[in-house]
Amino acid sequence: KIHPEPKMILPVVVYVVNGGMEELYEVLECVRLGYPICVVKGTGGAADMIASAYYNSELDDHIPNEMTLEIIKEGVIEIVDIKEIDGVVMRDLTKRLF
């Protein structure tokens, strides 16, 4: 369960790797809380659904569902291809999101 009012403020980045409909809902909740989202494209499931919608957002018939539409329109999102990830990339990506 995501708590919208934490007792202390901590920096947060949400990484989406694979996942199903439950994780897609969790990502939506994180977007609504203003958390930046890093989607790892090429890992399947919810991650690829979000990445595909992000890159094809101008094609309304390509958006799979309303949750994904809200995620890509309202979220602070970075898409990283799994083929390009190493420790340096993840560190730099985290810096860009903050």
Side-chain angles (χ1 to χ4, degrees):
K1 176 83 177 144
I2 299 169
H3 299 282
E5 297 181 29
K7 295 182 180 187
M8 55 191 263
I9 297 174
L10 297 172
V12 174
V13 175
V14 176
Y15 289 93
V16 184
V17 179
N18 199 325
M21 290 306 291
E22 185 174 326
E23 288 75 22
L24 195 64
Y25 177 76
E26 293 295 328
V27 171
L28 177 59
E29 289 300 308
C30 290
V31 165
R32 290 174 176 167
L33 291 170
Y35 298 160
I37 310 295
C38 175
V39 176
V40 184
K41 177 184 169 195
T43 59
D48 285 355
M49 185 184 303
I50 295 167
S52 178
Y54 182 84
Y55 287 122
N56 297 294
S57 61
E58 70 280 353
L59 305 173
D60 288 336
D61 62 334
H62 188 75
I63 305 299
N65 60 47
E66 291 297 316
M67 282 194 299
T68 306
L69 179 61
E70 185 175 342
I71 288 168
I72 65 168
K73 287 196 173 192
E74 303 297 327
V76 175
I77 300 174
E78 286 282 339
I79 309 289
V80 180
D81 196 309
I82 188 70
K83 298 172 194 166
E84 300 171 1
I85 292 181
D86 63 21
V88 174
V89 170
M90 292 305 275
R91 184 193 69 225
D92 291 345
L93 180 62
T94 302
K95 285 181 183 177
R96 282 197 322 222
L97 288 168
F98 284 104

